[in-house]
């Protein structure tokens, strides 16, 4: 495998949405792809910064689980899209 993806999902504290009253959780994603074809692996591409997801659900556990799943899926799609645009195979 010439590339490896590394990432973090940072989970915020749950709070209550003032409009709906449901539990609300935010997740921030930072991810990067390393090119392992060189002796010193270099970043090939990065997704991060303000890439955040906020989910509202009836309870805190459900909101947290849903936000983590959505953030991970969005990050994977974004990395795949960016690598495809760069012509990486």
């Amino acid at each position: 495998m010439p590339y490896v993806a590394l990432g973090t999902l940072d989970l915020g504290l749950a709070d209550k949405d003032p409009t709906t009253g449901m539990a609300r959780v935010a997740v921030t994603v930072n991810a990067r792809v390393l090119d392992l074809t060189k002796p010193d692996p270099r970043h090939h591409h990065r997704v991060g910064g303000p890439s955040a997801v906020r989910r509202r659900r009836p309870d805190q556990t459900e909101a947290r689980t849903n936000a983590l799943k959505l953030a991970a899926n969005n990050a994977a799609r974004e990395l795949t899209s960016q690598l495809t645009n760069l012509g990486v195979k």
Side-chain angles (χ1 to χ4, degrees), residues 28-88:
T28 303
V29 178
N30 288 293
R32 61 186 172 165
V33 175
L34 297 177
D35 182 352
L36 301 179
T37 61
K38 301 186 173 51
D40 180 23
R42 302 205 186 278
H43 300 308
H44 197 284
H45 216 62
R46 179 182 301 264
V47 171
S51 178
V53 172
R54 185 177 295 268
R55 298 307 288 175
R56 291 176 199 87
R57 291 294 181 258
D59 69 64
Q60 182 177 336
T61 302
E62 190 178 345
R64 181 178 56 239
T65 301
N66 194 269
L68 287 168
K69 285 180 183 179
L70 183 60
N73 284 332
N74 288 351
R77 284 192 184 111
E78 182 64 23
L79 279 174
T80 301
S81 174
Q82 291 178 12
L83 292 173
T84 300
N85 289 341
L86 290 172
V88 175

